[in-house]
């Protein structure tokens, strides 16, 4: 029985990057032998065991054969006679198909080290097209490693296009699409994930609401980049550069979905795109199965973002309506998400990257003034029922007006 460190841990070690989870492949063993050695079985589809001390995953070397469509359409074969090389050939990319023995020897049958040096993401074998999750994983790897100079091999990009053309990508389950997308969104340059999906033709299948924005024009005076899809990904890039959390990054994707349905006669203006954006933002979130907090962030940002841009034009009562629409008095983090996207929305335009944008600070000040007004004094004054709500709104409106006038 021999074990080898495989996959991301070896890749990241060679790249000098912080280590990924350490995964091991075991050659020459049976499940019974693993259990007798103290390993705990955890694999459902194929034999995987946890080391008795480190709790790191150890999988028996295996081969796989395509038996149906989608991620689960495989038959796995694991027995002591399966070699390390047979296990490595089923992996996705050459940089992930390198093994390291306990004595430090590298086993690299597919020249993954050369591709690391050349900064190339390349598939191991034509069987790459059999698993649609690999398309998502490759897009995520590209998002992570492009800042290090990595590109996708031309022949691998062609395989991605094949996976879209033959319908394999249509068998991706929403949970897996979101799982990979969520991880990609938290990388330093998450917009690259969506650009690669678009180059492969997969964006229209997986994120149709985003894909529909490409080719939709905007007023060049306000949007020198012109294209609504390009603008959306510039906004995402700005949110990420500012260290925005997942809610802000996801809301950035959704904020302009309404522009895809702007009537042609109105272009390049997009009056009313805020209200039109609510339904597609909700539709995309439900299809992907994103958590409710993110779904709310996408929908609310689509609806209210231009109110922040027009803050100095708004009446105090309208600004209070915005705060109430966000339910910000109970969930102030929603306002912070909206402000983060609005700031990025201004800077996510060619030549606007360093534009001063004072609205978030003024909106926060107005909100804090309104939040400081509570119902307690009104109750002590003898107000009851609906009169409390009406008086609270008046006092909060007055507090907002004082801030806006300052």
């Amino acid at each position: 029985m021999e074990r080898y460190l495989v996959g991301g841990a070896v890749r990241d070690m060679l790249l000098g990057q912080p280590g990924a989870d350490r995964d091991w492949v075991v050659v020459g063993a049976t499940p019974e032998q693993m259990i007798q050695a103290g390993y705990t079985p955890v694999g459902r589809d194929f034999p995987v065991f946890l080391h008795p001390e480190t709790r790191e995953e150890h999988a028996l070397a295996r081969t796989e054969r395509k038996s149906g469509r989608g991620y689960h359409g495989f038959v796995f074969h694991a027995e002591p006679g399966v070699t390390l090389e047979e296990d490595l050939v089923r992996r996705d990319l050459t940089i992930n198909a390198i093994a390291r023995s306990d004595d430090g020897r590298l086993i690299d049958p597919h020249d993954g080290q050369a591709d690391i040096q050349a900064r190339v993401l390349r598939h191991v074998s034509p069987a790459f097209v059999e698993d649609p999750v690999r398309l998502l994983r490759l897009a995520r790897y590209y998002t992570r490693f492009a800042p290090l100079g990595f590109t996708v091999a031309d022949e691998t990009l062609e395989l991605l296009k094949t996976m879209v053309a033959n319908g394999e990508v249509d068998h991706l389950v929403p949970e897996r699409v979101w799982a990979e997308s969520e991880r990609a969104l938290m990388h330093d340059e998450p917009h690259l994930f969506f650009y690669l999906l678009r180059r492969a033709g997969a964006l229209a299948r997986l994120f149709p609401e985003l894909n529909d924005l490409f080719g939709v024009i905007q007023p060049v005076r306000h949007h020198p980049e012109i294209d609504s899809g390009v603008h959306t990904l510039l906004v995402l890039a700005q949110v990420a550069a500012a260290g925005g959390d997942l809610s802000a990054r996801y809301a950035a994707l959704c904020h302009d979905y309404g522009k895809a349905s702007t009537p042609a006669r109105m272009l390049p203006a997009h009056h009313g795109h805020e209200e039109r954006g609510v339904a597609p933002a909700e539709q995309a979130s439900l299809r992907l199965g994103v958590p409710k907090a993110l779904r709310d962030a996408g929908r609310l940002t689509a609806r209210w973002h231009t109110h922040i841009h027009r803050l100095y034009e708004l009446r105090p009562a309208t600004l209070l309506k915005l705060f109430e629409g966000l339910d910000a008095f109970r969930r102030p983090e929603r306002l912070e998400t909206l402000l983060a996207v609005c700031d990025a929305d201004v800077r996510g335009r060619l030549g606007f990257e360093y534009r001063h944008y004072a609205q978030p600070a003024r909106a926060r000040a107005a909100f804090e003034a309104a939040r400081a007004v509570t119902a307690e004094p009104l109750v002590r004054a003898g107000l009851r029922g609906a009169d409390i709500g009406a008086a609270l709104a008046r006092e909060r409106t007055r507090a907002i007006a004082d801030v806006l006038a300052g």
Side-chain angles (χ1 to χ4, degrees):
M1 184 172 81
E2 296 179 322
R3 71 171 193 167
Y4 300 86
L5 188 65
V6 293
V10 179
R11 175 200 67 219
D12 291 347
M13 176 190 69
L14 295 173
L15 281 169
Q17 293 281 299
D21 293 337
R22 287 160 55 95
D23 294 320
W24 301 80
V25 63
V26 179
V27 178
T30 64
E32 293 74 21
Q33 289 173 318
M34 297 293 289
I35 294 172
Q36 289 171 5
Y39 288 78
T40 303
V42 293
R44 290 185 300 174
D45 298 323
F46 42 80
V48 179
F49 303 84
L50 298 181
H51 190 280
E53 296 177 2
T54 67
R55 311 306 289 173
E56 292 173 341
E57 287 192 358
H58 287 61
L60 297 189
R62 64 186 187 271
T63 60
E64 61 187 29
R65 176 175 55 83
K66 186 73 171 172
S67 61
R69 304 302 291 266
Y71 171 61
H72 294 290
F74 292 89
V75 173
F76 298 97
H77 174 68
E79 64 174 23
V82 177
T83 67
L84 175 63
E85 288 73 17
E86 287 174 321
D87 183 272
L88 293 176
V89 75
R90 67 175 180 78
R91 297 177 182 269
D92 51 4
L93 302 177
T94 60
I95 66 170
N96 295 331
I98 308 170
R100 183 178 183 271
S101 65
D102 280 339
D103 63 6
R105 180 170 53 94
L106 294 177
I107 299 89
D108 182 15
H110 304 288
D111 294 326
Q113 293 174 87
D115 281 339
I116 286 175
Q117 291 296 319
R119 297 298 196 255
V120 174
L121 300 173
R122 190 191 317 277
H123 62 283
V124 170
S125 78
F128 182 94
V129 300
E130 296 176 350
D131 184 355
V133 172
R134 288 174 172 170
L135 183 149
L136 288 169
R137 292 186 67 199
L138 175 55
R140 178 168 59 79
Y141 286 136
Y142 174 66
T143 305
R144 176 183 172 186
F145 293 125
L148 299 180
F150 275 83
T151 60
V152 178
D154 291 342
E155 60 271 26
T156 302
L157 182 60
E158 290 306 309
L159 286 189
L160 298 184
K161 295 177 180 178
T162 297
M163 296 169 78
V164 175
N166 67 16
E168 190 68 42
V169 72
D170 297 326
H171 294 272
L172 283 165
V173 297
E175 294 80 8
R176 196 58 189 265
V177 174
W178 173 244
E180 296 294 337
S181 302
E182 179 181 12
R183 294 177 69 181
L185 279 169
M186 293 311 298
H187 285 314
D188 290 342
E189 299 186 36
H191 54 288
L192 298 178
F193 178 78
F194 301 98
Y195 272 124
L196 185 59
L197 291 181
R198 187 163 186 263
R199 287 178 65 197
L203 194 65
R205 307 289 184 90
L206 302 177
F207 293 88
E209 296 83 6
L210 175 59
N211 188 72
D212 289 347
L213 292 175
F214 285 91
V216 177
I217 62 172
Q218 302 170 106
V220 67
R221 182 166 67 92
H222 302 297
H223 288 278
E225 73 284 352
I226 301 175
D227 189 285
S228 297
V230 172
H231 166 65
T232 295
L233 294 187
L234 286 172
V235 173
L236 175 58
Q238 286 289 330
V239 170
D245 63 13
L246 181 60
S247 290
R249 295 177 191 223
Y250 182 70
L253 279 184
C254 300
H255 83 283
D256 267 352
Y257 279 169
K259 289 183 177 179
S261 60
T262 298
R265 70 182 187 297
M266 291 175 54
L267 295 174
H270 290 278
H271 302 302
H273 77 276
E274 304 89 350
E275 293 85 353
R276 291 196 306 274
V278 171
E282 187 78 354
Q283 171 184 295
S285 298
L286 290 172
R287 186 183 64 254
L288 292 169
V290 306
K292 186 177 185 304
L294 299 185
R295 193 176 91 206
D296 291 341
R299 170 176 52 83
L300 293 170
T301 299
R303 172 64 183 86
W304 294 107
H305 67 283
T306 58
H307 274 61
I308 299 297
H309 295 331
R310 297 186 293 107
L311 182 70
Y312 294 102
E313 306 169 22
L314 299 183
R315 294 179 300 158
T318 303
L319 191 51
L320 177 61
K321 180 181 177 182
L322 183 155
F323 296 150
E324 292 174 341
L326 294 173
D327 196 14
F329 294 112
R330 292 195 306 159
R331 297 181 172 88
E333 70 278 3
R334 288 182 171 180
L335 178 62
E336 287 304 314
T337 294
L338 176 64
L339 296 179
V341 176
C342 288
D343 187 72
D345 191 20
V346 168
R347 302 177 199 279
R349 315 174 190 209
L350 293 180
F352 284 55
E353 292 84 358
Y354 302 102
R355 182 65 58 91
H356 178 65
Y357 187 58
Q359 281 86 334
R362 182 59 63 91
R364 287 190 188 94
F367 174 69
E368 291 302 331
R371 185 161 65 161
V373 177
T374 66
E376 185 178 351
L378 305 176
V379 174
R380 288 201 306 267
L383 296 181
R384 296 290 182 270
D387 290 339
I388 296 175
L392 186 62
R394 285 195 302 271
E395 293 303 315
R396 284 178 166 171
T397 300
R398 185 176 294 115
I400 291 171
D402 289 343
V403 171
L404 296 182

